[in-house]
Amino acid sequence: MEETLRKALAEKQSAVDSQGNAVRALKAAKAAKADVDAAIEALNGLKLEKASIEKQLQATVSGGGDGSLNREAFRQTVNNTLERRLFYVPSFKIYRGVAGLFDYGPPGCAVKSNVLGFWRQHFVLEENMLEVDCPCVTPEVVLKASGHVDKFTDLMVKDEKTGTCYRADHLLKDFCNEKLQKDLSITAEKAAELKHVLAVLDDLSSEELGAKIKEYGITAPDTKNPLSDPYPFNLMFQTSIGPSGLSPGYMRPETAQGIFVNFKDLYYYNGKKLPFAAAQIGQAFRNEISPRQGLLRVREFTLAEIEHFVDPENKSHPKFSEVANLEFLMFPREEQMSGHSAKKIPLGEAVSRGIVNNETLGYFIGRVYLFLTRLGIDKDRLRFRQHLANEMAHYAADCWDAEIESSYGWIECVGIADRSAYDLRAHSDKSGVALVAEEKFSEPREVEKLVINPVKKELGLAFKGNQRMVVEALEAMNEKEALEMKATLESKGETEFLVCTLGKNVTITKSMVTISKEIKKEHQRVFTPSVIEPSFGIGRIIYCLFEHSFYMRPSKAGDEQLNVFRFPPLVAPIKCTVFPLVQNQQYEEVAKVISQSLTTAGISHKIDITGTSIGKRYARTDELGVPFAITVDSTSSVTIRERDSKDQIRVDVEQAALVIKEVTDGRRTWADVWSTYPHQSSASADDEL
């Protein structure tokens, strides 16, 4: 649609220019007034047609093509409501706040707690995972082994005059989006170029990023001063452990490393059986260069991560059939490369065709889909995008992101990656502790075994104090690396070899190591497990849930728009409100009895005995996303109102808490209780302003 409109606009602009020239020519030739007037009328008609196309194009690129609020206006409305109702607010607001830090207020805390509670139920309990809780402060050696110290960076540019820092890819992204959304004069070809830049943004090197910034003339947003070339900035918050300052550490940028370093103990705890999964919910910290977009890019946030350890030779999953028939939007790398859109694919088909690498990865993709949609994420604005080949780490077998569409575009909220055995091997190499699993054979097996024998005398002479690290690195080689080294040594007599613990290449000669294959009897197989890692950005999921749940509807009088969050009962901050219809001692006593019953049943609720009109009280709680309201209008029975339909049922006072409990727990649907009890529809319920 956008491309068609841009082409139509360019053609219409050309027609306007041509007709304008014709008008000027007629005037210059002193043509008859009737001819000039007719030409001017035609020109005005073309201008009106051009303005109409511009309006359509503006609506399309701003997300308001259906007549609804455009994206920016919608986002502002949602954020204003969230802050006013104290879902979340900027931290340290009375001191003007700190970018990238937010406080959750009471309803925000409740939503977050409900999301995490459902995450535990859906994953930890239903999948029998082992939950751990590790410190936020992490010694440098751990993050050195994982690669974070050297590689956990974003590219930054500086205002050359003021020194203000900006994230380089964000400046390029903002420029492209601004052009696409607000410059209606750019050609369809230029729009396609800008969209391509956005698509490959994450893959651009510092040189390519710098070249694009220069090509497009991008300057510092605040001062318009020139920018420096991009350079890497490590995103971890550094600290020291203990008063001496001699033990460097970092605030963890993810929770996963705590699970990896505990693998050996968890493996024994699990009876030395694979597969098994460990899970952790906790805070993570990233010193973002230029945090923005509210809860989507912050400096402290909650992660929920799973590390599912599996035999690399058997990545089938016994429960895959339970999710195989799910069908949802998937965006394989081939579709991305060919310029196509995401399309619905049955998960079983995606695995059988090899689009998804293996059953275990596919199983978790399916479970993530079920988790997000049950929270209230719109399934039509949720897609699973496969990483392009140049996005993935060299060791990864396959990676998918659950992306949710919001007013900011498609947002990565969950990463699901098959990280192979990289993490456990890295920590084994650095710590010297074997993080491995065993498979015992019922009968001994004769196997051809690769034998690597470092010649310690020769290595000691060459590397002296670094001998041990070189020996360990040689012994840790996999078969492919070892055979390649053997071939090179036989043909050239020496080879360059990377020793990770030294952080550099060393020269290995033929006399320093022997590599051969021997037939041996084995009673067990020892191997490093692969890991499938689903990683959930809880704040991002919650923000997208806020947007997907928000809508506006007219008041009964039609003179204003009322805000509503359509949270499912599962995540709603308050499940129910209790209102005496009018200020009446008897009604208030009944309300207190119902409140006590709700408390006993474990249902979060709020009792409101203010004298405000019932319509205004309904509107206040709709804006908090409360799904049900009990109105006390007699001493024997009450009405229960459902938020979105505004329909009401009448139940006995003694039954009210039970009905709410059944519906909020998912044991009964609203349609079921509606058909069971006396009811009235919203058309006849006089409950609005």
Side-chain angles (χ1 to χ4, degrees), residues 163-462:
T164 304
C165 300
Y166 303 95
R167 186 164 152 179
D169 60 334
H170 283 179
L171 293 183
L172 182 55
K173 182 179 181 180
D174 289 346
F175 172 85
C176 294
N177 282 329
E178 182 91 2
K179 276 284 184 186
L180 288 167
Q181 293 174 18
K182 297 185 178 177
D183 188 350
L184 303 183
S185 66
I186 61 173
T187 64
E189 291 75 18
K190 188 66 175 178
E193 176 196 322
L194 294 173
K195 287 181 178 179
H196 175 72
V197 170
L198 289 171
V200 300
L201 193 60
D202 290 341
D203 303 328
L204 297 180
S205 67
S206 60
E207 292 77 16
E208 291 168 330
L209 199 54
K212 282 293 177 190
I213 287 173
K214 283 186 170 64
E215 178 186 341
Y216 293 145
I218 298 172
T219 56
D222 303 320
T223 63
K224 307 305 177 190
N225 291 330
L227 297 165
S228 70
D229 290 332
Y231 62 94
F233 170 77
N234 193 292
L235 298 176
M236 292 193 294
F237 285 99
Q238 190 166 14
T239 186
S240 58
I241 302 171
S244 69
L246 300 177
S247 180
Y250 296 89
M251 303 301 290
R252 64 183 178 189
E254 61 181 26
T255 67
Q257 301 309 317
I259 296 175
F260 294 137
V261 300
N262 281 306
F263 170 79
K264 187 175 181 179
D265 290 332
L266 291 168
Y267 178 58
Y268 276 90
Y269 180 86
N270 199 53
K272 298 179 72 174
K273 292 177 183 176
L274 281 184
F276 77 88
Q280 181 170 195
I281 296 170
Q283 296 302 98
F285 307 82
R286 297 181 186 178
N287 194 12
E288 294 285 351
I289 297 166
S290 50
R292 57 189 190 163
Q293 299 180 341
L295 295 179
L296 299 181
R297 190 166 295 282
V298 293
R299 287 174 165 143
E300 179 180 349
F301 50 95
T302 302
L303 283 179
E305 296 191 297
I306 296 164
E307 309 302 331
H308 181 91
F309 299 102
V310 63
D311 187 336
E313 295 182 5
N314 180 14
K315 293 182 180 178
S316 62
H317 198 287
K319 293 166 67 177
F320 180 70
S321 60
E322 296 179 14
V323 298
N325 293 328
L326 291 175
E327 186 174 340
F328 44 79
L329 286 172
M330 301 190 79
F331 204 7
R333 62 173 66 99
E334 288 74 17
E335 301 296 322
Q336 298 173 58
M337 297 298 287
S338 57
H340 295 153
S341 300
K343 61 183 181 182
K344 289 190 175 180
I345 304 175
L347 186 54
E349 179 187 323
V351 172
S352 63
R353 287 170 52 195
I355 297 172
V356 174
N357 185 271
N358 58 76
E359 276 191 5
T360 297
L361 185 64
Y363 178 73
F364 278 106
I365 289 173
R367 292 290 289 167
V368 168
Y369 170 80
L370 292 173
F371 171 74
L372 293 173
T373 52
R374 287 172 185 171
L375 284 181
I377 296 300
D378 182 352
K379 60 183 174 57
D380 294 324
R381 289 191 281 166
L382 167 64
R383 72 183 185 190
F384 288 80
R385 187 186 71 83
Q386 187 177 30
H387 283 203
L388 300 176
N390 56 359
E391 283 184 88
M392 291 202 304
H394 66 279
Y395 52 78
D398 196 7
C399 299
W400 292 76
D401 288 338
E403 296 183 333
I404 303 174
E405 189 179 27
S406 75
S407 63
Y408 293 104
W410 288 97
I411 303 299
E412 173 199 342
C413 292
V414 187
I416 310 124
D418 182 338
R419 296 175 59 85
S420 68
Y422 170 80
D423 301 282
L424 293 181
R425 283 193 178 132
H427 286 298
S428 291
D429 292 346
K430 188 73 172 175
S431 67
V433 176
L435 302 177
V436 295
E438 301 167 356
E439 179 193 6
K440 294 192 182 298
F441 302 142
S442 54
E443 296 288 336
R445 297 180 185 177
E446 283 194 347
V447 295
E448 189 179 48
K449 193 78 173 172
L450 181 74
V451 179
I452 301 170
N453 282 319
V455 181
K456 293 182 180 178
K457 181 180 177 182
E458 293 288 332
L459 292 167
L461 290 171

Side-chain angles (χ1 to χ4, degrees), residues 73-246:
F74 171 77
R75 182 193 311 142
Q76 194 62 50
T77 302
V78 174
N79 286 334
N80 287 346
T81 305
L82 290 169
E83 286 200 29
R84 179 167 47 79
R85 297 313 304 264
L86 213 60
F87 279 86
Y88 72 91
V89 292
S91 299
F92 317 112
K93 191 162 66 170
I94 64 171
Y95 292 101
R96 299 184 181 178
V98 178
L101 297 176
F102 292 90
D103 296 336
Y104 285 91
C109 278
V111 170
K112 182 179 178 183
S113 176
N114 292 337
V115 168
L116 291 175
F118 180 56
W119 188 89
R120 275 197 173 94
Q121 176 193 322
H122 188 78
F123 291 107
V124 179
L125 297 182
E126 291 187 25
E127 306 293 342
N128 291 311
M129 295 179 178
L130 310 180
E131 188 171 2
V132 298
D133 187 359
C134 305
C136 294
V137 177
T138 306
E140 183 181 58
V141 64
V142 174
L143 295 167
K144 187 78 173 172
S146 68
H148 285 85
V149 171
D150 297 322
K151 298 177 182 177
F152 195 66
T153 59
D154 277 337
L155 292 172
M156 183 168 76
V157 290
K158 277 188 178 180
D159 182 318
E160 291 191 338
K161 293 185 179 178
T162 68
T164 304
C165 300
Y166 303 95
R167 186 164 152 179
D169 60 334
H170 283 179
L171 293 183
L172 182 55
K173 182 179 181 180
D174 289 346
F175 172 85
C176 294
N177 282 329
E178 182 91 2
K179 276 284 184 186
L180 288 167
Q181 293 174 18
K182 297 185 178 177
D183 188 350
L184 303 183
S185 66
I186 61 173
T187 64
E189 291 75 18
K190 188 66 175 178
E193 176 196 322
L194 294 173
K195 287 181 178 179
H196 175 72
V197 170
L198 289 171
V200 300
L201 193 60
D202 290 341
D203 303 328
L204 297 180
S205 67
S206 60
E207 292 77 16
E208 291 168 330
L209 199 54
K212 282 293 177 190
I213 287 173
K214 283 186 170 64
E215 178 186 341
Y216 293 145
I218 298 172
T219 56
D222 303 320
T223 63
K224 307 305 177 190
N225 291 330
L227 297 165
S228 70
D229 290 332
Y231 62 94
F233 170 77
N234 193 292
L235 298 176
M236 292 193 294
F237 285 99
Q238 190 166 14
T239 186
S240 58
I241 302 171
S244 69
L246 300 177

